[in-house]
Amino acid sequence: MDHSKAPVLDALVEYHQQRITPFNPPGHKQGRGADRRVVDVVGEGVFRSDVLGPNGLDDRLMRHGVLQEAQELMADAVGAEHTFFSTCGSSLSVKSAMLAVAGPHEKLIVVRHAHKSVISGLILSGVSPVWVHPHWDGERHLSHPPGPDEVRAAFEAEPEAKGMLLVTPTDYGTCGDIAAIAEVCHEFDRPLIVDEAWGAHLPFHPDLPPWAMDANADLCVTSVHKMGSAVEQSSVFHLQGDRVDPTVLKAREDLLGTTSASSLVYATLDGWRRQMVEDGEKLLSTALSLAHRVRREIDELPGLRVMGEREFVGSGLAASLDPLKVVVDLSGLGISGYQAADWLRARKRVTVGLSDHRRIVAILTVADDDYTASVLVDALRELTQAAGRMKRPPAVDLPRPDELELRTVMLPRDAFFGETEQVAVDKAVGRVAAEMISPYPPGAPALVPGEVITREVLDYLRSGLNAGMQLPDPADSDLQSVRVVKDPA
């Protein structure tokens, strides 16, 4: 296929050249109706390129196949059989993927450290999760994707499960053995879905971890806005093989997706694919070289330790690591990642992708260069000098890995939509959760509807909140109370 083409971008150029006078949405009509104060901030180009698909990018009946051709080019670029664009982020794409494999009351094997969007999919669909617990690192208090042995055990225990959902890479850049897990799923003739939100770049460089389609997964979801160069909410899902029907997948996406898709998302997805096919390996080689240098320089700063393969990869841990995720352990400075993230933004105008009780994660992409790298290293150097003047962080009551493996007694949907009540936190132990509570980022719920609440998890969440953890889910943002399933009278 001709990857010098960008059908969506070409259609936008043609639309502008035709000087069409629209009497259809969007109502701003190429920005003419937009508040000048808005245009001054976001730019005229945003409004000029905000065009409907039908009767905009394409004709009324979409007969020119603009979007279809763009999706076919994307599939060809990554070696998938089918690709679908999504304008609601991978939060929508992963729900569509789940619904294409399992329906209400059917079982799906799901890794327990999945993103909250996966849990939302369980709630919406009524799918019954068969939890596979990740590889817990009890020393460092984080999790890695599970291995094939755990997946095989889950299928043997629940042979009626319709498939498996795996999350890799994690927010810390650690990756599972997709090929080995896909082999297990296929032994049971079941599809493997990979939530590969952090892996858009993986197909385009041989020195990066394996990606889902190359590793024989059936269906994968990726967020191009995360590690690629498309605007926020830009997501795609890729499909291969015959275990998932592409017409069923498209129907599920239509069920959840918007009928007013953003041309800005489509255009930037289309342009990113062309950029990666033409220059991706060279751009990523530069980014990887920069990342290795940045990792060395940060690791030499006093009190900081850059975590890599020696900490993350091995038996019972991860299978591989994306080096563009620079995980910095701050334990030697005696401060938390929450403090560091706040200080970096307030004092140095530097933001990071993730912070937790002892780490920050800085994400490098093809957009970074020597200048941005020096800004990051210099900011962290100043952080090491300022850390001694910061207050010691409140302690977080970190549970053991087994204390994070809660007992599920109800379908997430039944618990979420059933009769509920708000109870004081000291009365919540032993009750069934009716809401998600997710430390964010990474957004993997510590508590899922349908699980029995324990003292250890509540202590972890409440102490984490006090230390700077963000908890966007609970009805009571102060976590003085918890929403639970109402006890029968």
Side-chain angles (χ1 to χ4, degrees), residues 47 92 105 110 123 317 324 369 375 403 407 447 453 462:
F47 288 102
L92 179 140
H105 300 286
V110 181
I123 292 169
L317 299 173
L324 296 179
D369 55 20
V375 169
E403 293 172 338
R407 185 164 56 95
L447 196 58
I453 301 170
R462 283 171 56 80

Side-chain angles (χ1 to χ4, degrees), residues 19-62:
R19 303 178 66 83
I20 289 172
T21 301
F23 291 93
N24 60 339
H28 60 72
K29 298 196 175 184
Q30 307 297 278
R32 290 193 295 274
D35 188 323
R36 192 69 226 176
R37 293 166 294 184
V38 178
V39 175
D40 288 344
V41 173
V42 304
E44 293 181 356
V46 169
F47 288 102
R48 287 191 72 238
S49 295
D50 185 25
V51 177
L52 277 181
N55 228 7
L57 292 176
D58 208 331
D59 67 16
R60 181 177 60 84
L61 299 178
M62 302 290 279

Side-chain angles (χ1 to χ4, degrees), residues 265-287:
V265 170
Y266 287 162
T268 55
L269 282 170
D270 200 22
W272 173 79
R273 179 267 314 157
R274 179 173 61 183
Q275 179 190 34
M276 286 295 100
V277 171
E278 293 179 346
D279 300 310
E281 185 166 346
K282 179 179 70 176
L283 291 168
L284 286 164
S285 290
T286 301

Side-chain angles (χ1 to χ4, degrees), residues 60-399:
R60 181 177 60 84
L61 299 178
M62 302 290 279
R63 283 172 290 205
H64 297 159
V66 172
L67 179 60
Q68 182 63 33
E69 184 181 7
Q71 292 178 148
E72 289 172 357
L73 283 163
M74 180 74 83
D76 184 71
V78 300
E81 294 176 16
H82 306 276
T83 290
F84 301 92
F85 289 178
S86 169
T87 65
C88 297
S90 289
S91 292
L92 179 140
S93 300
V94 76
K95 295 181 183 74
S96 303
M98 294 165 64
L99 287 168
V101 171
H105 300 286
E106 293 181 328
K107 293 182 178 180
L108 182 69
I109 295 172
V110 181
V111 66
R112 181 55 183 82
H113 66 178
H115 188 263
K116 60 183 289 185
S117 60
V118 173
I119 310 305
S120 297
L122 295 173
I123 292 169
L124 289 170
S125 66
V127 166
S128 177
V130 176
W131 298 120
V132 172
H133 291 285
H135 285 165
W136 296 108
D137 184 337
E139 177 187 348
R140 299 178 181 89
H141 295 282
L142 48 74
S143 63
H144 306 295
D149 291 344
E150 291 87 355
V151 175
R152 177 175 281 105
F155 274 116
E156 289 174 347
E158 302 283 356
E160 70 274 30
K162 294 295 185 178
M164 195 253 173
L165 187 143
L166 175 71
V167 179
T168 178
T170 67
D171 287 66
Y172 296 91
T174 65
C175 302
D177 189 344
I178 303 173
I181 292 172
E183 184 176 351
V184 172
C185 292
H186 297 165
E187 286 176 16
F188 290 85
D189 195 25
R190 294 292 188 263
L192 172 62
I193 305 168
V194 179
D195 181 350
E196 203 168 46
W198 287 104
H201 58 312
L202 299 182
F204 299 103
H205 201 283
D207 293 339
L208 289 168
W211 88 288
M213 293 288 98
D214 282 351
N216 295 321
D218 299 273
L219 175 57
C220 82
V221 169
T222 188
S223 298
V224 179
H225 66 93
K226 282 186 166 72
M227 296 299 289
S229 300
V231 297
E232 280 293 305
Q233 298 188 24
S234 299
S235 172
V236 296
F237 35 104
H238 303 293
L239 176 64
Q240 65 183 357
D242 58 5
R243 292 183 179 86
V244 180
D245 186 336
T247 59
V248 171
L249 178 59
K250 184 63 174 71
R252 301 304 185 265
E253 196 275 337
D254 285 345
L255 185 68
L256 298 173
T258 177
T259 56
S260 304
S262 169
S263 59
L264 300 172
V265 170
Y266 287 162
T268 55
L269 282 170
D270 200 22
W272 173 79
R273 179 267 314 157
R274 179 173 61 183
Q275 179 190 34
M276 286 295 100
V277 171
E278 293 179 346
D279 300 310
E281 185 166 346
K282 179 179 70 176
L283 291 168
L284 286 164
S285 290
T286 301
L288 286 166
S289 177
L290 186 69
H292 292 312
R293 193 190 85 204
V294 166
R295 296 171 74 89
R296 287 195 303 271
E297 291 180 1
I298 296 174
D299 204 40
E300 292 171 357
L301 296 176
L304 300 184
R305 182 178 180 183
V306 175
M307 307 182 80
E309 291 189 354
R310 64 190 174 190
E311 292 89 3
F312 289 158
V313 177
S315 177
L317 299 173
S320 57
L321 176 69
D322 180 0
L324 296 179
K325 290 286 191 73
V326 183
V327 183
V328 183
D329 192 315
L330 308 160
S331 301
L333 296 181
I335 62 173
S336 71
Y338 310 125
Q339 289 175 293
D342 291 345
W343 187 92
L344 287 167
R345 182 183 175 111
R347 300 299 180 89
K348 304 306 297 180
R349 302 296 185 260
V350 166
T351 58
V352 294
L354 181 151
S355 55
D356 65 18
H357 65 285
R358 62 185 281 188
R359 289 169 290 259
I360 56 173
V361 181
I363 302 166
L364 300 182
T365 72
V366 299
D368 286 292
D369 55 20
D370 289 339
Y371 169 74
T372 62
S374 67
V375 169
L376 174 62
V377 175
D378 289 346
L380 290 174
R381 181 178 292 109
E382 292 192 37
L383 174 67
T384 66
Q385 297 163 1
R389 300 188 295 274
M390 296 182 187
K391 292 182 179 179
R392 297 304 90 180
V396 178
D397 295 328
L398 296 162

